């Protein structure tokens, strides 16, 4: 018996020695690195976002020959999950993390991002105000805003024409002032051409369209006090209107960015996208590259002509620094170069179609330039106009939960023909219990 | 002295040889298992602070309709595919074990292949074929005149479960067939010979000899498939994302959503613990019911 104990003790020792040998090896590696003149920063990011940084990489290297950047590409969901683990194990890598605004508050809340309050201070007034809200917790700022997603309406001129509707941007803006007009036009297009007004899945929507309608009206899943407001009469009214468009049959039932969604655009079966400015680059490069000259851009429809705000925000990203990073100064240098410098932001706009949140760039001539893909329409002016019209609010910490529940709520409305009001009331209660809110 | 050392070595050597398993088991399974017990009693969003809440998470799980729905989903999916799959696997295994079938190697391989293909790739192909408006399956069914309106394979609760079950069936039929085949080959040949000498028909042989002797392996397959259908993750995750209306959300998918989408690690752990005990009870009942009476 005693011997058994001895041998297991011996084993344990062996294991501990092995493990400690491994970990001390790791330490040596990293300390050797810091002696080096050249510093390597690891950036976690997804493909589409990296495009903008690539456009400025040459210039950054020229200015900072000692900083080497290594990109590790992954999907957004993977990135957040991996970072969560890295943060909890105190990893020094990555140094820089890209975070979408929709998930920013949730990421800030895990308390592992580097405090950027002093560093971003000079930019406080230069960046569109709503971007700061999700980046801030207890008065401290943890992210540098990148692009914004002011929502506008993209429309197919040829489809509008074949339905006997005006197709010139000014005339379209005049014809579609409210969502009521939008629905009416959708029905005309359906009757005359058999095409759809827009696409969204009945059962697995990402809710962007509905959320955009809410945001524009200054409504959200939660109110300003943080209470659940999904059963607010105005929210219910908005959801009922959205459901009525689906029931009119003007919405093609396809999940965003799925095969059939992309095919419907390529086949010219969809008349509009009410979506963020980042569709600019996506339309041209991915969704509908063959239709140059056929798309036009106007402001998104309003709920009512008298509403104070005309637009909403959809998406947009930020760059953040890992609190455990060994090179926060250099990381900030990189972020400041990419996001704080007007030149870099303008390059991103031109080459990657990402719309700056940095307002000091808006005076640049590039904003009034005609854009070839949109038949020479100077669309960027429309984006900045929309930006100034965004109702000031933010995604908030529990957005991912709310978004998930809302998906099911709409599925229930469309699959079981449940009443919108009842479903939203039920969903609001579930949201309350899931997030321990009032 | 030397011999003492030698004896010590001899006694400790087996432990050293089996230690890699126990070390890995301890680090990667047992420690996380204990830790999730601890986590199930705190509220934790992945940040620095964990708040102890005692049994609150468990109270919530028991009252959570979605949790019970996921158990129901697991049951329904299991009922859809497990009996059919095991029946077919047994039949195919018996056929492939008989003397008169040619090209056994080819059949065994092609039936087993789905199991070793990357799940995500399979799920992707399934999702294209099952697409609601222009998927291959709907197109074929329409061509044959079997249906007029497209079936929403992935977008209606009933069919989504069938689709998920179909994919599990496709992936695991061959695997179970191989297990059963191994069982068949361990049945001594002379039993069959004496049966035939006694004038038994092939059907009698199947019912009276093959199946009873396969019982152990079949029970094993049933338990494995049961646990498998509650533990499904990749299939519903890629095919349906757990929807529509949570109809294909399995307990494991729910744990994933609660932890990595909603960042409720405490609550997710409580679900995991509840799930663990439920599965233990399930397995226990199955073993009791199918226990050998001899």
């Amino acid at each position: 018996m005693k011997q058994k104990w001895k041998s297991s003790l011996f084993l344990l020792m062996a294991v501990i020695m092995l493990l400690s040998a491994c970990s001390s090896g790791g330490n040596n590696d990293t300390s050797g690195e810091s002696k080096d003149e050249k510093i390597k920063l690891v950036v976690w990011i997804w493909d589409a976002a990296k495009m903008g940084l690539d456009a400025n990489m040459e210039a950054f290297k020229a200015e900072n020959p000692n900083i080497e950047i290594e990109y590790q590409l992954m999907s957004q969901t993977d990135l957040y999950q991996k970072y969560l683990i890295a943060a909890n194990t105190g990893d020094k890598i990555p140094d820089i993390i890209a975070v979408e605004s929709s998930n920013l508050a949730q990421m800030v809340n895990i308390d592992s991002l580097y405090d950027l309050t002093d560093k971003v201070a000079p930019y406080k007034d230069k960046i569109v105000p709503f971007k700061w809200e999700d980046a801030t917790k207890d008065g401290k700022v943890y992210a540098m805003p990148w692009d914004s997603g002011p929502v506008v309406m993209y429309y197919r001129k040829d489809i509008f024409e074949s339905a006997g509707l005006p197709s010139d941007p000014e005339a379209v803006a005049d014809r579609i002032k409210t969502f009521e007009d939008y629905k009416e036009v959708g029905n005309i297009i359906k009757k005359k051409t058999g095409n759809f007004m827009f696409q969204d899945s009945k059962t697995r929507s990402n809710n962007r369209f509905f959320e955009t309608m809410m945001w524009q009206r200054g409504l959200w899943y939660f109110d300003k006090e943080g209470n659940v407001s999904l059963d607010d009469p105005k929210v219910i009214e908005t959801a009922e209107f959205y459901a009525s468009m689906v029931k009119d049959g003007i919405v093609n039932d396809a999940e965003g960015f799925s095969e059939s969604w992309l095919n419907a655009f390529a086949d010219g079966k969809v008349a509009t996208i009410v979506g963020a400015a980042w569709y600019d680059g996506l339309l041209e490069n991915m969704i509908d590259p063959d239709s140059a000259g056929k798309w036009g851009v106007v402001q998104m429809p309003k709920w009512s002509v008298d509403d104070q705000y005309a637009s909403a925000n959809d998406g947009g990203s930020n760059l953040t620094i890992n609190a455990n990073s060994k090179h926060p100064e250099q990381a900030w240098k990189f972020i400041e170069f990419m996001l704080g410098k007007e030149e870099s932001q303008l390059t991103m706009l031109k080459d990657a179609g990402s719309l700056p949140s940095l307002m000091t760039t808006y005076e640049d001539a590039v904003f009034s330039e005609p854009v070839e893909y949109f038949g020479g329409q100077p669309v960027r002016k429309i984006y900045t106009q929309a930006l100034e019209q965004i109702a000031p609010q933010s995604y908030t910490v529990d957005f991912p939960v709310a978004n998930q529940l809302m998906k099911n709520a709409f599925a229930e409305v469309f699959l079981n023909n449940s009443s919108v009001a009842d479903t939203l009331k039920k969903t609001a209660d579930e949201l309350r219990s899931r997030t321990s809110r009032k | 002295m030397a011999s003492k050392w030698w004896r010590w070595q001899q006694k400790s050597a087996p432990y050293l040889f089996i230690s890699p398993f126990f070390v890995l088991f301890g680090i990667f399974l047992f420690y996380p298992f204990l830790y999730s017990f601890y986590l199930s009693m705190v509220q934790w969003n992945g940040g620095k602070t964990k708040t102890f809440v005692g049994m609150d998470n468990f109270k919530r799980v028991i009252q959570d309709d979605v949790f019970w729905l996921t158990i129901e989903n697991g049951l329904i999916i299991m009922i859809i595919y497990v009996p059919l799959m095991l029946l077919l696997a047994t039949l195919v295994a018996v056929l492939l074990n008989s003397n008169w079938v040619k090209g056994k190697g080819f059949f065994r391989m092609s039936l087993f292949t789905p199991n070793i293909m990357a799940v995500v790739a399979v799920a992707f192909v399934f999702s294209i074929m099952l697409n609601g408006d222009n998927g291959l399956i709907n197109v074929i069914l329409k061509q044959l005149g079997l249906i007029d309106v497209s079936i929403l394979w992935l977008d209606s609760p009933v069919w989504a479960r069938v689709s998920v079950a179909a994919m599990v069936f496709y992936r695991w039929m061959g695997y179970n067939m191989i297990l059963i085949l191994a069982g068949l080959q361990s049945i001594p040949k002379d039993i069959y010979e004496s049966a035939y000498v006694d004038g038994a028909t092939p059907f009698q042989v199947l019912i009276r000899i093959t199946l009873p002797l396969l019982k152990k392996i079949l029970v094993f397959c049933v338990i494995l498939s049961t646990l498998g259908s509650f533990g499904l993750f990749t299939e519903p995750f890629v095919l349906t994302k757990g929807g529509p209306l949570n109809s294909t959300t399995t307990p494991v998918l729910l744990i994933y959503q609660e932890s990595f989408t909603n960042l409720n690690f405490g609550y997710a752990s409580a679900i995991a613990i509840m799930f663990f005990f439920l599965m233990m009870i399930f397995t226990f009942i199955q073993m009791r019911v199918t226990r050998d009476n001899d």
Side-chain angles (χ1 to χ4, degrees):
Chain A
M1 198 60 204
K2 216 175 182 182
Q3 272 205 325
K4 261 187 196 164
W5 276 112
K6 261 190 201 160
S7 53
S8 46
L9 205 72
F10 166 76
L11 265 174
L12 200 73
M13 295 274 284
V15 169
I16 290 169
M17 270 161 70
L18 256 170
L19 286 176
S20 57
C22 290
S23 62
S24 68
N27 281 342
N28 285 342
D29 276 359
T30 44
S31 62
E33 201 179 287
S34 64
K35 275 178 211 145
D36 236 323
E37 285 281 314
K38 219 169 163 143
I39 279 165
K40 191 169 88 178
L41 297 177
V42 174
V43 182
W44 283 4
I45 199 164
W46 54 96
D47 215 5
K50 182 175 163 274
M51 267 168 40
L53 301 180
D54 283 344
N56 289 305
M57 222 34 221
E58 295 274 305
F60 179 77
K61 272 183 192 155
E63 208 171 280
N64 302 280
N66 286 332
I67 302 179
E68 192 193 326
I69 304 289
E70 186 191 317
Y71 291 108
Q72 296 185 356
L73 292 177
M74 53 197 100
S75 77
Q76 287 94 316
T77 358
D78 288 348
L79 191 152
Y80 304 140
Q81 287 174 19
K82 277 184 81 169
Y83 183 63
L84 205 66
I85 292 160
N88 271 292
T89 46
D91 270 3
K92 295 169 187 66
I93 283 172
D95 299 285
I96 298 170
I97 317 105
V99 183
E100 293 162 291
S101 286
S102 51
N103 292 65
L104 184 59
Q106 201 183 36
M107 283 291 129
V108 166
N109 214 29
I110 65 171
D111 300 325
S112 69
L113 296 176
Y114 191 83
D115 181 358
L116 292 172
T117 317
D118 299 331
K119 293 191 160 59
V120 300
Y123 297 99
K124 262 278 154 109
D125 300 326
K126 292 186 184 170
I127 283 174
V128 283
F130 74 88
K131 287 291 278 190
W132 294 113
E133 285 197 38
D134 283 315
T136 309
K137 185 190 173 192
D138 304 330
K140 289 196 170 132
V141 184
Y142 296 92
M144 177 71 175
W146 188 342
D147 59 325
S148 285
V151 177
V152 294
M153 184 177 103
Y154 297 87
Y155 68 97
R156 277 283 289 255
K157 292 176 195 161
D158 51 337
I159 297 181
F160 271 59
E161 271 162 22
S162 56
L165 293 157
S167 67
D168 174 66
E170 268 126 62
V172 171
D174 205 46
R175 179 70 186 78
I176 304 180
K177 286 200 183 99
T178 62
F179 271 106
E180 204 61 63
D181 300 335
Y182 181 80
K183 183 166 130 184
E184 198 185 306
V185 164
N187 276 306
I188 295 175
I189 287 177
K190 187 195 163 200
K191 205 193 271 168
K192 296 219 169 136
T193 69
N195 290 323
F196 296 103
M197 195 59 171
F198 68 101
Q199 309 201 65
D200 200 351
S201 171
K202 285 181 187 167
T203 54
R204 37 174 130 182
S205 170
N206 55 14
N207 309 321
R208 290 287 172 97
F209 200 105
F210 171 64
E211 281 163 6
T212 298
M213 290 179 80
M214 282 202 290
W215 191 312
Q216 179 192 40
R217 301 186 69 191
L219 306 169
W220 200 237
Y221 297 113
F222 312 102
D223 63 16
K224 297 278 181 283
E225 282 80 49
N227 298 329
V228 172
S229 56
L230 195 53
D231 44 6
D232 180 278
K234 279 180 170 173
V235 176
I236 292 176
E237 172 189 56
T238 313
E240 273 167 347
F241 183 82
Y242 173 81
S244 77
M245 288 195 289
V246 175
K247 282 175 185 158
D248 276 3
I250 63 172
V251 185
N252 187 31
D253 184 7
E255 191 185 358
F257 296 91
S258 66
E259 280 289 309
S260 43
W261 187 86
L262 288 169
N263 286 340
F265 277 119
D267 297 344
K269 284 190 175 153
V270 186
T272 71
I273 298 175
V274 175
W278 41 256
Y279 273 107
D280 182 308
L282 285 181
L283 269 173
E284 187 174 349
N285 300 317
M286 174 195 172
I287 299 172
D288 203 3
D290 299 331
S291 298
K294 288 185 187 160
W295 286 93
V297 186
V298 292
Q299 298 296 342
M300 76 181 279
K302 285 174 94 169
W303 179 259
S304 125
V305 196
D306 313 320
D307 280 349
Q308 191 185 356
Y309 296 101
S311 188
N313 175 64
D314 178 7
S317 301
N318 309 269
L319 286 180
T320 61
I321 300 175
N322 181 353
N324 296 313
S325 165
K326 282 172 67 192
H327 314 292
E329 293 304 321
Q330 286 85 346
W332 171 247
K333 236 182 187 174
F334 176 77
I335 293 178
E336 194 172 30
F337 184 92
M338 291 292 176
L339 310 185
K341 211 174 155 194
E342 276 115 26
E343 273 174 77
S344 321
Q345 280 292 292
L346 288 168
T347 316
M348 281 191 205
L349 173 69
K350 279 181 277 186
D351 292 1
S354 86
L355 188 75
S357 301
L358 192 61
M359 294 189 286
T360 47
T361 59
Y362 298 167
E363 294 310 312
D364 195 275
V366 76
F367 279 94
S368 12
E369 269 175 23
V371 178
E372 214 188 300
Y373 180 79
F374 294 100
Q377 192 190 348
V379 295
R380 288 169 192 145
K381 267 272 167 279
I382 297 175
Y383 304 151
T384 52
Q385 278 165 16
L387 254 177
E388 287 157 17
Q389 290 284 322
I390 293 177
Q393 63 181 24
S394 58
Y395 277 101
T396 68
V397 179
D398 286 323
F399 167 73
V401 191
N403 178 278
Q404 175 69 33
L405 289 178
M406 197 61 215
K407 177 183 306 209
N408 286 339
F410 275 126
E412 201 167 327
V413 167
F414 297 128
L415 282 176
N416 303 350
N417 259 322
S418 315
S419 106
V420 174
D422 292 349
T423 312
L424 255 62
K425 274 175 194 148
K426 203 182 85 189
T427 309
D429 285 337
E430 198 173 341
L431 187 56
R432 285 187 184 100
S433 92
R434 293 215 165 230
T435 59
S436 328
R437 287 169 187 264
K438 267 193 269 175
Chain B
M1 193 59 201
S3 74
K4 216 175 182 184
W5 168 238
W6 174 247
R7 221 184 309 153
W8 188 83
Q9 260 192 330
Q10 214 179 12
K11 279 200 171 154
S12 58
Y15 295 102
L16 187 70
F17 290 137
I18 59 166
S19 65
F21 168 76
F22 286 100
V23 171
L24 293 178
F25 177 82
I27 298 174
F28 293 109
L29 287 165
F30 197 62
Y31 169 69
F33 179 70
L34 288 183
Y35 194 67
S36 72
F37 262 97
Y38 160 67
L39 278 187
S40 69
M41 280 179 275
V42 299
Q43 200 169 37
W44 182 38
N45 68 353
K48 295 246 167 2
T49 45
K50 300 187 184 83
T51 333
F52 187 80
V53 292
M55 286 292 144
D56 282 8
N57 285 330
F58 289 98
K59 271 184 215 149
R60 232 182 94 191
V61 180
I62 289 170
Q63 290 163 358
D64 189 346
D65 294 340
V66 180
F67 172 72
W68 294 110
L69 178 65
T70 63
I71 300 288
E72 194 185 313
N73 291 335
L75 263 174
I76 294 174
I77 292 173
M78 183 184 95
I79 290 167
I80 298 177
Y81 85 93
V82 174
L84 202 66
M85 177 181 79
L86 290 182
L87 189 75
L88 216 70
T90 314
L91 273 175
V92 173
V94 170
L95 283 177
L96 288 182
N97 196 39
S98 62
N99 297 320
W100 49 273
V101 175
K102 300 254 184 309
K104 282 180 197 164
F106 171 75
F107 284 119
R108 280 177 203 171
M109 195 193 72
S110 35
L111 284 165
F112 191 68
T113 310
N115 192 256
I116 51 172
M117 284 195 290
V119 205
V120 176
V122 175
F124 187 68
V125 174
F126 263 71
S127 66
I128 291 175
M129 292 202 314
L130 294 169
N131 189 311
D133 47 62
N134 50 13
L136 186 67
I137 306 284
N138 272 335
V139 171
I140 291 176
L141 289 178
K142 273 186 199 164
Q143 292 279 325
L144 293 175
L146 291 174
I147 52 167
D148 296 326
V149 189
S150 291
I151 294 176
L152 294 173
W153 291 106
L154 301 174
D155 293 306
S156 65
V158 175
W159 290 114
R161 289 186 187 122
V162 173
S163 301
V164 169
M167 190 178 149
V168 181
F169 180 94
Y170 168 80
R171 284 194 68 226
W172 293 98
M173 212 279 277
Y175 180 82
N176 283 284
M177 178 209 69
I178 294 285
L179 287 182
I180 295 168
L181 199 59
L184 283 176
Q185 283 168 351
S186 68
I187 301 175
K189 287 269 181 296
D190 36 335
I191 303 184
Y192 287 109
E193 275 163 22
S194 54
Y196 284 121
V197 167
D198 288 345
T201 64
F203 182 72
Q204 280 176 323
V205 170
L206 179 71
I207 298 295
R208 294 284 167 84
I209 297 175
T210 312
L211 289 184
L213 288 173
L214 267 183
K215 192 177 166 190
K216 276 234 164 70
I217 201 98
L218 282 174
V219 168
F220 178 68
C221 287
V222 168
I223 291 176
L224 220 59
S225 314
T226 311
L227 293 180
S229 37
F230 286 101
L232 278 180
F233 178 78
T234 324
E235 286 89 349
F237 185 69
V238 185
L239 270 187
T240 58
K241 293 252 160 43
L245 289 176
N246 291 327
S247 61
T248 54
T249 307
T250 55
V252 180
L253 194 56
L254 181 69
I255 293 168
Y256 171 84
Q257 279 172 356
E258 277 300 331
S259 49
F260 289 111
T261 310
N262 302 349
L263 304 192
N264 277 331
F265 292 96
Y267 187 53
S269 300
I271 298 176
I273 304 282
M274 276 290 288
F275 177 53
F276 168 76
F277 282 115
L278 275 176
M279 284 306 101
M280 223 167 75
I281 295 168
F282 257 122
T283 311
F284 183 70
I285 293 173
Q286 277 185 336
M287 278 162 72
R288 270 310 267 277
V289 168
T290 54
R291 194 169 55 176
D292 252 332
N293 293 324
D294 317 325

